Amino acid sequence: MDKKREKKYLKLNPKVEEAVYADLKRKQDEMYAYATRDKCSIRREKEIFRVQRPNFAKDSERILYCRYFNRYADKTQVFSLYKNDDITRRILHVQLVSRIARNIGRMLNLNLDLIEAIALGHDLGHTPFGHAGERFLSKLYHANTGRYFNHNVHSARILDKVLSLNLSLQVLNGILCHNGEKVSGEYRPRGYQAGDAEGAFAEFERQMEECYTEAGAVGKLIPATLEGCVVRLADVIAYLGKDRQDAQILKIGVQEPFSENDVLGSTNSDFINNIITNVVSNSYGRPYIKLDEEYAAALAYEKQVNFKRIYGPQDKNEPYPTIRKMFARVYDKLLEDFVKGDQNSPIFRHHINHVYSGFSRAESLKEAYLKEEPNQVVVDYVASMTDDYFLDLHAVLFPDAPKLEYISYFSGKKRQ
């Protein structure tokens, strides 16, 4: 199979390939001393190097073309069940994170391909209905298994275990460690020992398992690379102000984006510029990512404002209590279907048979996947769903249950 694939790939003119390789090597050599070089990429399986697809660029492409990436387009960022093209869906959020992180990384002379891969994949494991959906799914999973669901852990699981894309450990680690709930003024990477690929993946798997079994373990994670630290901070920068802009559009919770804080500025544009400028000023030429104490405190304060006025009320107010009940119904039904081996169930037709089809190793991966713990398979499926798909599936499985409706452009309604 490898030989056949080799024949299908058009090769560069040898002289052009040599010149491109020299350019790539020069750019890598010119990176900041603490940047992550492509040659340091750690993978479970070794791969042939091609100048057309350097190591971390290859990871970005695999994430971009994987079967889960499209689903970002209809997953809630914060506000669910609105027909409004001006509010953010998760597909825009990951691009904003990528843009902000690459902007910082460019000025610090870091590996932009690695930054992009982490940013594009960091929310791939997010559930339908945003963080509210994540909490609902985690409670169900924990009630059945004693394990916890976290979207960052699940993002890494999808790419490494479910899809088995052989991504670099640096990308997987950046995705796993992106979700720092507490804003820090300084981010120091905790790297892996050079040359110990087996040990590095063992440590990665230990961290993953700890997040499944210990409440709060996610908050202890520290990225292994400067690039991962940049994405972790860029995630907060990207969503904090944009979520307020969305709330302002929907007239929920806040009026002006940053009117209470003179440090960060009065608009989202001010905020992004000022934070990036402060980060680069404090981090250039250093082996860490740093904010001034004043800026770190202001960022932490504004994050708490968002939690108090925007994120916090979600579980209490409709439609979320109804969505929580829908999650429980769907979860229990899919678990029953999988345990019974009901091949007509959507968990087989739309999840297992769909994910494992159309590529060379599909059957062997599917065979191994069918031996997974049943609750884990259900969690994989539910987390993969978009908002619309979840609602449609619930309507098919429970046609007599109450249905939720989107608030349209012209209804004049809003949710509190």
Side-chain angles (χ1 to χ4, degrees), residues 214-352:
E214 295 184 21
V218 167
K220 303 175 187 177
L221 295 171
I222 299 172
T225 64
L226 274 177
E227 290 83 359
C229 292
V230 167
V231 174
R232 180 162 168 163
L233 181 58
D235 184 34
V236 180
I237 298 171
Y239 74 66
L240 213 161
K242 195 69 172 71
D243 291 353
R244 291 196 185 184
Q245 288 184 325
D246 291 346
Q248 189 176 9
I249 289 170
L250 299 175
K251 297 181 173 57
I252 296 173
V254 292
Q255 296 301 317
E256 297 296 328
F258 291 92
S259 58
E260 298 178 27
N261 199 306
D262 294 333
V263 175
L264 301 181
S266 60
T267 68
N268 192 35
S269 178
D270 292 343
F271 166 67
I272 292 172
N273 174 75
N274 294 345
I275 289 287
I276 289 177
T277 300
N278 190 261
V279 168
V280 174
S281 297
N282 283 286
S283 308
Y284 188 84
R286 295 182 171 90
Y288 52 78
I289 304 301
K290 183 177 176 60
L291 283 165
D292 280 336
E293 185 176 337
E294 182 183 28
Y295 278 79
L299 186 62
Y301 170 78
E302 295 296 351
K303 188 171 180 179
Q304 288 305 309
V305 171
N306 273 29
F307 271 93
K308 180 179 179 180
R309 300 187 187 179
I310 301 174
Y311 313 140
Q314 280 190 333
D315 289 7
K316 301 176 183 177
N317 299 329
E318 289 293 352
Y320 296 101
T322 298
I323 292 172
R324 183 172 60 248
K325 295 175 184 176
M326 296 167 78
F327 263 71
R329 291 191 201 103
V330 168
Y331 187 103
D332 290 345
K333 172 61 175 164
L334 294 176
L335 182 60
E336 178 186 351
D337 288 350
F338 181 74
V339 171
K340 289 194 305 185
D342 183 358
Q343 296 293 322
N344 290 319
S345 171
I347 197 167
F348 285 97
R349 293 190 294 112
H350 289 189
H351 175 53
I352 299 169

